[in-house]
């Protein structure tokens, strides 16, 4: 699993809990060669962190883990390499169906 922080987008206080939940590396990666990417939004609706996983199995496992922890996951159709496959919203930001 790789992660990239987006400069100038505020990292919320809940980021430490997210990092611990997923076992994210302390330092952001610069290598963006993962197979599938999803973005994590802050409470202002800005994607502040990208997380990349290698393969569909890791992608599904990670998103299920986030959903079980109370995050809301919006799947996207990535139409090109490097595009986001999902956006994860902060805990408590669930959208009505």
């Amino acid at each position: 699993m790789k992660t990239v922080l987006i400069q100038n987008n505020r990292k919320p206080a809940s980021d430490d809990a997210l990092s611990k939940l997923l076992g994210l590396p302390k330092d952001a990666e610069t290598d963006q060669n993962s197979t599938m990417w999803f973005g994590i939004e802050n409470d202002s609706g800005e994607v502040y962190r990208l997380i990349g996983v290698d393969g569909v199995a890791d992608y599904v496992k990670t998103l299920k883990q986030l959903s079980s922890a109370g995050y809301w996951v919006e799947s996207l159709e990535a139409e090109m390499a490097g595009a986001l496959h999902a956006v994860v919203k902060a805990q408590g930001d669930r959208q009505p169906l």
Side-chain angles (χ1 to χ4, degrees):
M1 187 175 303
K2 296 179 175 138
T3 186
V4 177
L5 289 170
I6 298 176
Q7 286 185 324
N8 301 324
N9 287 2
R10 189 181 55 77
K11 184 168 72 168
S14 62
D15 187 67
D16 289 338
L18 172 79
S19 294
K20 185 175 180 180
L21 173 70
L22 297 179
L24 296 176
K26 295 249 183 220
D27 298 321
E29 299 278 339
T30 55
D31 173 23
Q32 296 185 18
N33 289 327
S34 289
T35 305
M36 301 183 84
W37 287 92
F38 56 94
I40 308 291
E41 287 186 355
N42 59 24
D43 52 0
S44 299
E46 301 173 309
V47 173
Y48 75 94
R49 179 186 288 280
L50 300 175
I51 296 176
V53 295
D54 294 319
V56 175
D58 285 341
Y59 172 77
V60 170
K61 176 184 167 190
T62 303
L63 292 184
K64 282 184 179 180
Q65 189 176 13
L66 287 165
S67 183
S68 294
Y71 290 86
W72 184 75
V73 177
E74 177 184 359
S75 293
L76 304 172
E77 290 186 32
E79 296 180 6
M80 60 177 47
L84 293 180
H85 289 82
V87 173
V88 177
K89 300 183 185 301
Q91 291 174 303
D93 273 353
R94 291 187 178 262
Q95 304 292 321
L97 296 176

